[in-house]
Amino acid sequence: MAKKSVASIQTGSKRLTKAIKMVKSPKSGAYTFVEQIMAPEDVNDFLKKK
């Protein structure tokens, strides 16, 4: 499973990171990408979740 932290985004005084991970669909077996914008501290938890 590929995982990558792509970009740092700054909005005002908050610093945000866009994380993308590849997830395999249980029905079809195809891979999809899940994207989420979050604080840099939360990226590892997001990537560890299935």
Side-chain angles (χ1 to χ4, degrees), residues 2-6 11-12 14-16 18 22 26 28-29 33 35 43 45 48-50:
K3 44 188 168 182
K4 183 188 257 187
S5 179
V6 174
T11 56
K14 281 193 167 186
R15 186 178 170 139
L16 301 173
K18 181 178 182 181
M22 210 165 82
S28 65
F33 292 96
E35 299 180 17
V43 172
D45 293 332
K48 288 180 183 177
K49 279 194 283 183
K50 286 192 173 185

Side-chain angles (χ1 to χ4, degrees), residues 4-5 17-19 38-48:
K4 183 188 257 187
S5 179
T17 301
K18 181 178 182 181
M38 64 193 79
E41 301 83 35
D42 301 333
V43 172
N44 287 335
D45 293 332
F46 171 72
L47 294 175
K48 288 180 183 177

Side-chain angles (χ1 to χ4, degrees), residues 9-28:
I9 304 165
Q10 289 187 345
T11 56
S13 63
K14 281 193 167 186
R15 186 178 170 139
L16 301 173
T17 301
K18 181 178 182 181
I20 301 174
K21 70 177 173 179
M22 210 165 82
V23 179
K24 188 173 184 177
S25 171
K27 288 184 180 180
S28 65

